[in-house]
Every structure is written in structure tokens, then in C-alpha cells.
Amino acid sequence: MAGIYIHIPFCKSRCIYCGFYSTTGLGMRQRYVDAVCREARLRAFSGQPAETIYFGGGTPSQLTAAQLRQLFDTLYNIYKVDDDAEVTIEVNPDDVTDEYAATLSQLPVNRVSMGAQTFDDRRLRFLHRRHTAGQVAQAVSRLRQAGIRNISVDLMYGFPNETIDDWQHDITCALDLGVEHLSAYCLAIEEGTELWRLKMKDGRMKMSDEELERQMYYTLIDRLTAAGYEHYELSNFARPGCRSRHNSSYWTGVPYLGLGAAAHSYDGQHRSWNVSDINRYMAGIENGTPDYGYETIDGDTRYNDRVMLALRTADGLDLASLTDADRKYLLSLSSKYLDQGVLRLSQNRLRLTRQSLFVSDMVISDLMRV
């Protein structure tokens, strides 16, 4: 098993755009941590050591130092973990106090992913983020002092009334941090989120148009690549040698184990997912009857997953990884895009070209089996 993902669903407050499973019920943290530790024991495996561990959320930095130690002690006692494993935890900038950074330095954590989103305090308030722009740089400084040498920062663009100049400012602030990794996403309105409800309630709220979002995306690519970052996946940029190993395993079809409410797992032949309800999750684990869904991956699904995920990456899709029938099918659908320069085929790898990056979802969907 190449990767272990632990979902920590707790948030002090909810951001209006977030569609991930989360809860503000912080009083359940210890019971939940106990349940995750029990699930880890129920799903112990032998064989290939874990190469990555990733604490995502939610807000993992809402756990106490004792709860984090309990989780790490359990994971390292049950599973084999590579000596050079990449161990990531997601944090909110305002949670990174001197004490918290010191706690991380005493744990196996060697990579931190921080949700900055923007360096404009007005937009942070609009998102209902808890931190201020100034706290991001403070958090990075504290993590550096604690010995963390691999830091990733998340950014967002496409806010209502945001301009190219506003976005340029955010990029400049992010670059000034000198972090090893950057992820950037266009603000999306997901059904069921507070942002979606706000949009439905107030028709006057005007989101950015597609052409402006396209300009922002290519501005991001040009600025970051000029600064020495590798654009290795549609939304991700890294200094040389600093790609996210955990996320890369998702994109290359490597098996992973997911622990916690709403966490997904993949073993190469099957996918499973824990129930997206913290109370049902904890009750199932405590009773020895985990509440989860399960599916066996058929040939069409395997093909679709491989094409969709691999084409998101700069490495592209290795045609040798497909069956003869799937390769023939893909090339027949790709021919028009190859002629148009939207796709490029070289060294038996199919890749998106620059002109198709912003419309990649459309191109990739046309290559799917239906």
C-alpha cells in the first residue's frame, strides 16, 4: 500500500465554498480519534510499506497535540512506513502557533499544506476564513523555525469582482513566501455549499466570467514557471524534487488506504468509501461493523480513471499502460485533437498542450467510454 490518508473532518467554522465532508462538532474529537485508531487496527495490512501519509480535512490542525501523537503512534505501530516517507498535514494559518509548530517538529511530519486562499483580507472574510493575510507569512516562518522544509500553499482565483491586478498581487505574495509547492484552484460554486445558497439567494452576486478566469489561469502558469516551479499537474506547481508524492499516487493509480469518515480507499481492483456521517462512522467502527460502500472496478471504469487522471499531469498518459483495445479506442478519439494541436503524442505518451489546459475537462470527457 503506497499511501495512507486520514480524514479529519473537524473545523472551527465552515468556509462558504467547501464541499468536503466536515463538522464543527469539536466535542467529538477524542471519540473520533479513538475510532480512527480502531479502524486502522481493523484494516491492518502487510507487505509493501507505506510511502506517504496524509492528514486531510476538514482541519487536521484542530486536533490536540495528544490526539496527533495517538494517531501517529497507532499508524507506526500497525503499518510498515518507509524511513523516507512523505508525511503531510493540512493546517490553517491561524492554528500555527509557536507551540503547534513545536508539536509538529516532534512528530514524523515533514510536509505541511496550508490553506492561504488569498492575501486580501476582504476576500478572506467573504470566504469565512478564520485567518488574516498577515498570519500566512507568520505561519510559514514558524514552520521553518520548527524545521519543516517542505511547505505547500493553496490559492484561489475567480472571486466576485476580482481583477487581474488583484490576482497578480496574490501570486506575488505567495512567491514571496518561498514555499516549495503551490496549488491553485478557481473558486467553484458547489451545490449545497453556503456559497451556492448565497448565489441562489442573491442574484446580484456576480462571479468572474470564463475569459477572465482563463487569463488568471495562464497568468498563474507563466508567473510560477518563470519563478522556477514545475507545472506538473493542472492545478499544482512544485520546486524541483518537491512534487506532492501522496497526490501523485492518486494520479498514477497507485493503491492507497483511507481512514476516517468519508475517506476513500483503492487497492487496484476495488474502491471503497467510508460513510460521510461522523456519528454513523464512529458507531460502525465501535460496533465492529464499519459502514462503507464498495465497488469492483470494471474495464471501462479502469480505462476512464486512467485517462482522466493521467492526462491531468505533465507526464501524460503512457499508452503502454493500456490494453491493445483501449489504446486503439483512445487514439481513434484523440485523432481530431492531435490534428488541432490540442493533444500531443510523443515517446508513446499522450499529453495536453498548453492551449487545452484551461478546457481540459471538456477534452478529457470526449475521450471517455460511455
Side-chain angles (χ1 to χ4, degrees):
M1 193 69 64
I4 300 175
Y5 173 81
I6 304 95
H7 189 67
I8 308 299
F10 301 105
C11 290
K12 195 171 184 178
S13 60
R14 283 197 179 94
C15 302
I16 65 172
Y17 58 87
C18 185
F20 293 112
Y21 177 69
S22 65
T23 176
T24 55
L26 299 181
M28 295 185 285
R29 284 177 295 181
Q30 187 57 54
R31 182 184 170 198
Y32 182 80
V33 168
D34 291 341
V36 171
C37 291
R38 181 168 183 180
E39 184 189 8
R41 288 188 286 270
L42 290 172
R43 302 181 67 185
F45 61 84
S46 58
Q48 181 183 3
E51 299 171 2
T52 65
I53 296 175
Y54 194 105
F55 283 73
T59 314
S61 53
Q62 281 292 293
L63 294 184
T64 67
Q67 288 162 350
L68 285 172
R69 290 191 188 98
Q70 179 183 347
L71 285 167
F72 276 111
D73 286 346
T74 299
L75 292 175
Y76 276 75
N77 284 331
I78 292 173
Y79 304 113
K80 294 180 181 178
V81 180
D82 274 355
D83 291 339
D84 66 342
E86 175 192 88
V87 183
T88 303
I89 188 168
E90 293 180 353
V91 304
N92 269 24
D94 55 313
D95 288 333
V96 184
T97 61
D98 289 333
E99 294 76 16
Y100 184 82
T103 293
L104 294 187
S105 71
Q106 298 164 11
L107 296 170
V109 172
N110 52 33
R111 184 175 184 271
V112 170
S113 178
M114 186 186 307
Q117 315 311 355
T118 176
F119 293 89
D120 183 291
D121 285 335
R122 293 169 302 170
R123 289 196 288 273
L124 287 170
R125 289 192 293 270
F126 167 73
L127 294 176
H128 293 186
R129 297 291 293 177
R130 291 186 283 119
H131 70 276
T132 64
Q135 287 177 309
V136 179
Q138 291 174 352
V140 169
S141 176
R142 287 169 177 155
L143 292 169
R144 294 297 194 207
Q145 291 174 17
I148 303 296
R149 297 289 174 259
N150 194 351
I151 299 175
S152 179
V153 165
D154 289 352
L155 294 178
M156 279 187 171
Y157 61 94
F159 292 92
N161 304 313
E162 185 180 17
T163 67
I164 283 287
D165 287 343
D166 293 334
W167 180 226
Q168 290 273 23
H169 172 73
D170 274 357
I171 297 172
T172 297
C173 290
L175 289 173
D176 287 347
L177 296 174
V179 294
E180 287 71 29
H181 190 281
L182 284 157
S183 300
Y185 307 94
C186 186
L187 179 62
I189 303 179
E190 294 193 35
E191 187 172 349
T193 63
E194 185 61 32
L195 181 59
W196 178 79
R197 287 187 283 271
L198 181 62
K199 174 68 173 175
M200 295 300 102
K201 182 178 179 180
D202 186 356
R204 296 170 300 174
M205 188 177 74
K206 186 176 183 301
M207 303 300 291
S208 57
D209 60 51
E210 186 173 306
E211 175 56 27
L212 179 58
E213 291 172 356
R214 187 191 68 81
Q215 292 178 29
M216 290 178 170
Y217 182 58
Y218 286 110
T219 296
L220 171 77
I221 294 172
D222 292 341
R223 290 284 308 275
L224 265 59
T225 54
Y229 289 84
E230 175 192 16
H231 186 200
Y232 73 100
E233 193 270 346
L234 288 175
S235 302
N236 288 274
F237 303 78
R239 296 286 190 192
C242 295
R243 293 185 181 191
S244 168
R245 289 164 53 193
H246 185 84
N247 289 339
S248 294
S249 70
Y250 295 152
W251 303 321
T252 54
V254 175
Y256 54 89
L257 172 67
L259 303 173
H264 287 233
S265 301
Y266 169 70
D267 67 5
Q269 302 296 326
H270 313 90
R271 260 197 297 258
S272 64
W273 50 93
N274 289 339
V275 63
S276 297
D277 181 299
I278 189 170
N279 289 300
R280 285 174 57 188
Y281 165 77
M282 292 188 298
I285 296 297
E286 291 163 353
N287 294 331
T289 56
D291 193 338
Y292 66 96
Y294 180 89
E295 69 173 349
T296 299
I297 299 173
D298 61 24
D300 286 351
T301 302
R302 187 180 305 282
Y303 165 85
N304 286 343
D305 287 350
R306 189 79 189 98
V307 171
M308 176 183 65
L309 295 171
L311 285 181
R312 291 184 60 88
T313 69
D315 294 334
L317 174 61
D318 182 0
L319 298 185
S321 68
L322 302 176
T323 65
D324 290 343
D326 283 345
R327 185 163 53 251
K328 182 177 180 181
Y329 178 80
L330 175 63
L331 289 174
S332 69
L333 294 179
S334 301
S335 59
K336 66 176 180 180
Y337 289 124
L338 290 166
D339 292 342
Q340 295 167 4
V342 171
L343 290 171
R344 175 170 58 91
L345 180 59
S346 64
Q347 298 180 328
N348 211 38
R349 285 186 175 271
L350 190 66
R351 296 177 173 88
L352 297 169
T353 61
R354 177 184 168 94
Q355 73 183 73
S356 62
L357 294 177
F358 187 70
V359 292
S360 58
D361 287 348
M362 180 195 72
V363 176
I364 292 172
S365 66
D366 283 352
L367 306 178
M368 298 287 98
R369 288 191 184 275
V370 294

